[in-house]
Amino acid sequence: MSEPGKNGLTYSDAGVDIDAGNLLVEKIKPHVRSTRRPGADGEIGGFGGLFDLKAAGFKDPVLVAANDGVGTKLKIAIDANKHDTVGIDLVAMCVNDLVVQGAEPLFFLDYFATGKLDPDQGAAIVGGIAAGCREAGCALIGGETAEMPGMYAGGDYDLAGFAVGAAERGQLLPAGDIAEGDVILGLASSGVHSNGYSLVRKIVSLSGLAWDAPAPFGEGTLADVLMTPTRIYVKPLLKAIRETGKLKALAHITGGGFPENIPRVLPKHLAAEIDLSAIQAPSVFSWLAKTGGVAANEMLRTFNCGVGMIVVVAAEDADQVTSVLKAEGETVFALGRMVARDEGAAGTIYKGTLTL
């Protein structure tokens, strides 16, 4: 019988590899440096990440913070062993929520938790996070890697992201002048983005298709198409905000679709009238609806259905704002208008039919 405290156990025996964690930090340092921007030096290793608002050019800023995850889209990444793009999704889900308030994303932190740390897998994930940060113009100034055997089975892992942005005082959105007759513009999504993946995975299971099977819609494998990263709208929207000064409100179309997300930025006396016939839903949504027998209303409250962001502008400003966004590479279309809302009525109403 061994004496208490003499059995020689190590942290590694318990399933946590400190050396693997240190190796991951070394592997991701170049990714982190690639996100350097005014206000952040692009180095990691301290107990907290630093950001200098004055160096970023702000005089009297209001800070805006957002956090999010990637949801069960991660299960597809794990099952298909494709980890290099979920980090883009993680950043996108956070920074798109910042820009809808008129804020410029400044810095980002990530939380990566796994049952067993694989430094190469971790580096691929952080590489995606860095790519998303570069696209959004924000610095990756820190993060946390947690190896937690017993909490996560097999190759499972989870991600959470935290973004902070800023806007000069008085320039936050939504503006207070949204009015009846204002135009709603839609910005095309890149696909399913990062919402509704529990239903996506259920439908794929019903279809009997493997992740490496050719996608019945689009090019590439089923996993490739469903893993298409969430579009990051930050730079085009900031350009439109700053060049025109005409944007009244923005809404990021995430979980809950139109009916849950658009009313969040509207005054109680107005509703968004959406012309569903104006939407050209990508073929992935048609396949999901048909294969799963999902009704149009359920599609609209689960997925973005091809519209990742909406913009509210006065009717006379719609053309100017549209041209700026199109010049920045966005696909923009007239989606609807603001109408009067009775007390207690829905904040989003539909006309026309969604073609799936």
Side-chain angles (χ1 to χ4, degrees), residues 129-152:
I129 293 171
C133 285
R134 291 193 300 272
E135 194 175 336
C138 63
L140 178 58
I141 66 168
E144 165 70 357
T145 302
E147 189 174 23
M148 299 196 286
M151 284 289 286
Y152 295 91

Side-chain angles (χ1 to χ4, degrees), residues 295-315:
N297 269 0
E298 185 66 18
M299 291 293 294
L300 286 165
R301 68 191 294 261
T302 305
F303 301 114
N304 66 63
C305 293
V307 184
M309 185 76 69
I310 66 111
V311 183
V312 179
V313 293

